[in-house]
Amino acid sequence: MGSYEPVAALLRGLDVLHCLNERGPMAVGQIHDETGIAKPTVVRILETLTYAGYVMMQPGERRYAVTAKVLGLSNGYEAQSHLLSVAGPILERHRQAAGWPIELGIFDADAMVILDTSRAPGYLSVNTKPGSRVPLLRTALGRAYLAALPESELRMVLASLESKPGPDYDAARAPKALLSQLASTRKHGYAMADTESPLTNGRAVACAVVYQGRPVASVNVVVHMSAMPLAAFEREYGHSIKELAAEIGAAI
């Protein structure tokens, strides 16, 4: 915990910027519906972001969109850039063999952030794209990463999630069951998820990408639930997802 209270206005501004970056051009009312921030406050935030050059109003419309300046906010992520450059060719090769979407994600406080995906817009009910945040505890991608953490770090992460509201964090409030699930993940070497989020109709198997003994990302394969039974999916992709994660880790 920091020495000072967080700056509420800055947090609201970041919420608006994240919303525009994630959802695309939006009107004030849409941003209000998505974030819960009062419309007058949304307008002031948008005017400030426009003045700073991060947002622009689309010509002829009352919708706002991010500008190319937001790309500068990620310049510090050299490690992620290296990870992407190394993993990209490997992911593409495995995608051609699998015939199903494969995603690479990294841990970010309370979620996994998608770095690379071959999922088409709207495919498997969720339009994930680079930069999208997916639930940490309700996805194979997230649980594979957590299972690879040292126990002390894992318990710190779960403690930080326990007080967060909403179903995405319910598992942190039942730690005994979650820790048992993560122990099973470690035993098998991969995590499974079966349509656990209300937004998806996909099944996934994921494995942590480990470098120098620590997880740095995780990678998954996702199929539509109608494609094959869960047991058949696990038999077909459980071993290959471990091979993919190990290949990326070795290439780093």
Side-chain angles (χ1 to χ4, degrees):
M1 196 68 181
S3 302
Y4 302 96
E5 290 293 320
V7 180
L10 176 58
L11 293 177
R12 289 193 292 268
L14 291 172
D15 284 343
V16 170
L17 189 60
H18 174 76
C19 185
L20 289 174
N21 192 56
E22 181 77 9
R23 304 292 185 184
M26 301 177 75
V28 170
Q30 292 174 306
I31 298 172
H32 161 72
D33 292 341
E34 188 70 24
T35 65
I37 300 172
K39 290 182 181 179
T41 303
V42 171
V43 172
R44 290 197 301 272
I45 290 171
L46 289 170
E47 289 180 350
T48 301
L49 291 171
T50 300
Y51 176 82
Y54 292 103
V55 166
M56 63 174 289
M57 182 186 290
Q58 294 188 321
E61 301 182 38
R62 299 294 297 178
R63 297 198 306 168
Y64 293 83
V66 297
T67 69
K69 189 174 181 180
V70 300
L71 296 174
L73 298 176
S74 64
N75 286 343
Y77 279 86
E78 295 181 3
Q80 282 74 15
S81 296
H82 175 63
L83 176 61
L84 276 173
S85 67
V86 167
I90 300 172
L91 291 170
E92 186 57 35
R93 177 160 39 81
H94 281 261
R95 283 166 180 153
Q96 292 177 7
W100 289 98
I102 294 178
E103 299 172 320
L104 180 73
I106 59 170
F107 172 72
D108 183 28
D110 60 359
M112 296 297 289
V113 177
I114 302 297
L115 285 187
D116 189 292
T117 179
S118 59
R119 194 184 301 203
Y123 193 66
L124 296 168
S125 297
V126 180
N127 181 17
T128 57
K129 56 186 178 181
S132 293
R133 298 173 68 84
V134 299
L136 184 63
L137 302 177
R138 301 176 76 181
T139 61
L141 204 66
R143 292 199 295 266
Y145 180 89
L146 290 175
L149 285 174
E151 183 175 355
S152 59
E153 292 186 32
L154 171 62
R155 292 187 180 275
M156 288 177 62
V157 171
L158 297 185
S160 72
L161 300 178
E162 185 178 357
S163 61
K164 289 183 175 290
D168 285 347
Y169 309 104
D170 282 347
R173 290 181 276 276
K176 185 175 180 180
L178 178 58
L179 290 172
S180 176
Q181 186 179 36
L182 295 179
S184 177
T185 295
R186 282 190 291 273
K187 178 180 177 181
H188 290 91
Y190 54 79
M192 300 289 299
D194 188 20
T195 63
E196 293 181 35
S197 168
L199 297 177
T200 182
N201 51 20
R203 291 174 170 142
V205 58
C207 183
V209 175
V210 177
Y211 174 66
Q212 294 185 344
R214 294 189 56 81
V216 295
S218 53
V219 63
N220 70 7
V221 176
V222 186
V223 304
H224 194 279
M225 62 180 296
S226 64
M228 64 186 76
L230 183 64
F233 174 54
E234 183 175 4
R235 285 195 301 271
E236 182 157 349
Y237 292 104
H239 181 68
S240 61
I241 196 66
K242 292 195 291 184
E243 289 185 332
L244 171 55
E247 187 175 351
I248 295 173
I252 295 174

